[in-house]
């Protein structure tokens, strides 16, 4: 509460209860949850996800057309029918205010601020209307996909947002190519709309997920298993204190050692926490050769990793949301598509709509 002297015109700061009521009302009035026909599969993507504007997307090591290329690989391989893909709504300002502060969202009206967050300095020189349209709109569309994924996962057992996973962004700060806190938003919507009270984040991106760690620092409803390289960005030592289960993997860690550590970590997580939803941040920057992740995991290792996480959820009958997160090589899109195809072949997901065969 405000400590300012009261007066007839003073407006007191909202209490925690008022803030929670406002958050709940925003969630309940959102249009991001909508009914998806059974002819669609719980794989979420929109062509709006992809960022391509005057070659500026080439100035960051992230492959900003990765999301579309994943789907094209799946369609070309006969794994997925384009008509079965779910297209999400774009998150509005009211949707984003469920987690983000008004001041943070206002800061994104500065092209300079956005350029720092996405690590592409020339963006600072662009009119903000272009930045909103060409950079922030695709991210807001992906946020809508991450939020919808929880609803679909609860209904179908699993959902994959072919995007999202912006795990460096918290409610009041972006960074590391992460502008909006889609993981935190996804979970808060699930708390209110899906009546879920326990969520496990399994963050297997090479980088520490400091954004969601800060957002849920004092929230016992969320258990965070974060397996990351401590020798690379973001070096957020404060956020590391909020990790429920920390598994550090040094630069140069190879496939077999990595997967053995994951097996043990999943066993521990299964004993420590009984979630009603798993949010799986499936970054592919652990791939051998990735310039930022500095780990040495093979493409087959990615496939086996994803299968282990899906089996963990399936064996416990827990709905699972998968987000694609980081990955800084052109080969990432093919690796992700191959992993999704493997999940389908193993019967862990079903990518055929109810209307017929692909």
């Amino acid at each position: 509460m405000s400590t300012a002297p009261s007066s007839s015109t003073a407006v007191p700061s909202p209490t925690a209860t008022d803030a929670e009521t406002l958050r709940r009302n925003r969630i309940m009035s959102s249009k991001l949850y909508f009914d998806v026909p059974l002819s669609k599969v719980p794989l979420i993507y929109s062509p709006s996800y992809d960022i391509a504007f005057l070659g500026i997307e080439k100035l960051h090591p992230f492959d900003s057309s990765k999301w579309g290329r994943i789907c094209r690989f799946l369609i070309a391989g006969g794994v997925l029918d384009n008509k079965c893909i779910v297209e999400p709504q774009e998150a509005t300002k009211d949707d984003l205010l469920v987690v983000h502060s008004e001041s943070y969202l206002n800061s994104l009206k500065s092209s300079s601020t956005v350029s720092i967050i996405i690590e592409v300095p020339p963006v600072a020189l662009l009119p903000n209307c272009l930045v909103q349209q060409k950079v922030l709109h695709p991210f807001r569309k992906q946020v809508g996909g991450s939020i919808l994924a929880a609803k679909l996962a609860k209904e179908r057992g699993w959902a994959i947002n072919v995007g999202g996973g912006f795990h460096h962004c918290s409610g009041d700060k972006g960074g590391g190519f992460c502008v909006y806190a889609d993981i935190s938003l996804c979970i808060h919507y699930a708390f209110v709309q899906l009546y879920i009270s326990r969520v496990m984040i399994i963050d297997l991106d090479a980088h520490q997920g400091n954004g969601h760690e800060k957002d849920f620092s004092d929230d016992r409803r969320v258990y965070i298993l974060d397996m990351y390289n401590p020798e690379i960005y973001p070096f957020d030592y404060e956020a590391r204190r909020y990790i429920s289960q920390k598994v550090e993997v040094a630069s140069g860690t190879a496939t077999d050692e990595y997967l053995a550590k994951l097996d043990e970590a999943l066993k521990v997580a299964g004993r420590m926490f009984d979630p009603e939803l798993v949010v799986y941040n499936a970054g592919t920057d652990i791939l051998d050769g990735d310039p930022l992740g500095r780990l040495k995991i093979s493409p087959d290792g990615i496939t086996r990793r994803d299968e282990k996480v899906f089996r963990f959820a399936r064996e416990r009958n827990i709905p699972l949301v998968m987000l694609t997160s980081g990955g800084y090589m052109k080969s990432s899109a093919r690796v992700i598509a191959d992993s999704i195809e493997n999940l389908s072949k193993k019967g862990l997901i079903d990518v055929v709509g109810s209307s017929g065969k692909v």
Side-chain angles (χ1 to χ4, degrees):
M1 293 292 289
S2 170
T3 56
S6 60
S7 74
S8 59
T9 57
V11 178
S13 298
T15 64
T17 302
D18 292 336
E20 194 54 45
T21 300
L22 182 57
R23 169 182 278 168
R24 177 176 288 273
N25 289 343
R26 284 188 168 121
I27 291 171
M28 294 306 294
S29 62
S30 173
K31 293 180 171 58
L32 294 179
Y33 272 17
F34 56 88
D35 291 331
V36 174
L38 290 174
S39 58
K40 304 272 190 180
V41 299
L43 190 141
I44 303 166
Y45 167 74
S46 166
S48 300
Y49 280 18
D50 299 296
I51 299 172
F53 177 58
L54 299 177
I56 279 177
E57 70 279 0
K58 296 174 183 173
L59 299 178
H60 191 282
F62 189 89
D63 176 11
S64 60
S65 63
K66 174 179 81 171
W67 308 294
R69 290 173 60 237
I70 293 167
C71 288
R72 286 193 291 275
F73 283 136
L74 290 170
I75 292 165
V79 178
L80 181 69
D81 187 329
N82 186 50
K83 298 191 295 293
C84 293
I85 295 172
V86 178
E87 179 159 357
Q89 299 290 321
E90 177 185 0
T92 66
K93 181 180 178 181
D94 255 12
D95 295 324
L96 297 168
L97 283 168
V98 165
V99 164
H100 289 292
S101 64
E102 183 103 31
S103 61
Y104 175 71
L105 295 181
N106 285 338
S107 78
L108 301 178
K109 295 175 183 176
S110 159
S111 297
S112 176
T113 298
V114 176
S115 76
I116 293 167
I117 293 171
I118 67 169
E119 302 169 338
V120 182
V123 166
L125 304 176
L126 298 175
N128 192 254
C129 60
L130 278 180
V131 174
Q132 293 288 333
Q133 179 186 358
K134 300 295 186 179
V135 179
L136 298 184
H137 166 68
F139 285 140
R140 289 193 293 265
K141 196 81 165 177
Q142 292 190 46
V143 170
S146 294
I147 290 170
L148 177 62
K151 177 180 187 290
L152 280 173
K154 185 167 185 191
E155 292 170 353
R156 315 277 188 95
W158 64 277
I160 297 173
N161 183 20
V162 184
F166 305 129
H167 66 158
H168 296 308
C169 187
S170 64
D172 57 7
K173 187 177 182 181
F177 204 69
C178 300
V179 182
Y180 301 113
D182 67 315
I183 293 175
S184 303
L185 284 158
C186 168
I187 291 171
H188 277 291
Y189 273 70
F191 284 157
V192 173
Q193 289 264 37
L194 304 179
Y195 307 105
I196 281 169
S197 58
R198 297 183 309 280
V199 178
M200 179 182 290
I201 299 171
I202 300 178
D203 195 335
L204 302 186
D205 187 277
H207 300 83
Q208 175 199 349
N210 58 321
H212 57 72
E213 287 157 8
K214 287 180 175 174
D215 283 342
F216 296 112
S217 60
D218 59 353
D219 195 330
R220 293 179 177 271
R221 296 174 298 177
V222 179
Y223 182 96
I224 300 173
L225 163 57
D226 196 348
M227 191 164 165
Y228 64 94
N229 184 348
E231 302 164 19
I232 59 174
Y233 178 90
F235 304 107
D236 193 330
Y237 298 100
E238 178 199 344
R240 288 182 192 179
R241 302 205 313 265
Y242 309 136
I243 302 172
S244 314
Q245 186 182 342
K246 179 168 56 176
V247 182
E248 297 187 342
V249 283
S251 297
T253 298
T255 303
D256 289 346
E257 180 186 352
Y258 181 91
L259 293 177
K261 283 194 168 190
L262 176 59
D263 282 337
E264 181 58 30
L266 291 174
K267 284 179 188 173
V268 172
R271 290 196 303 265
M272 297 295 293
F273 197 72
D274 180 25
E276 297 171 303
L277 176 71
V278 168
V279 177
Y280 172 34
N281 201 46
T284 47
D285 47 5
I286 65 171
L287 271 170
D288 188 7
D290 189 286
L292 301 186
R294 300 186 196 169
L295 300 174
K296 293 187 177 296
I297 314 307
S298 67
D300 178 64
I302 296 279
T303 296
R304 288 155 63 196
R305 176 198 71 169
D306 293 349
E307 185 178 330
K308 287 174 186 294
V309 176
F310 271 77
R311 286 196 187 283
F312 171 86
R314 170 66 67 86
E315 288 166 0
R316 293 162 177 79
N317 200 30
I318 306 165
L320 181 145
V321 168
M322 174 176 160
L323 311 171
T324 57
S325 200
Y328 303 90
M329 295 195 297
K330 290 289 184 184
S331 60
S332 275
R334 167 58 77 183
V335 171
I336 294 166
D338 287 348
S339 179
I340 291 172
E341 181 174 2
N342 176 68
L343 293 170
S344 176
K345 285 178 177 176
K346 296 292 175 65
L348 292 165
I349 64 173
D350 182 1
V351 289
V352 180
S354 66
S355 59
K357 294 181 179 180
V358 173

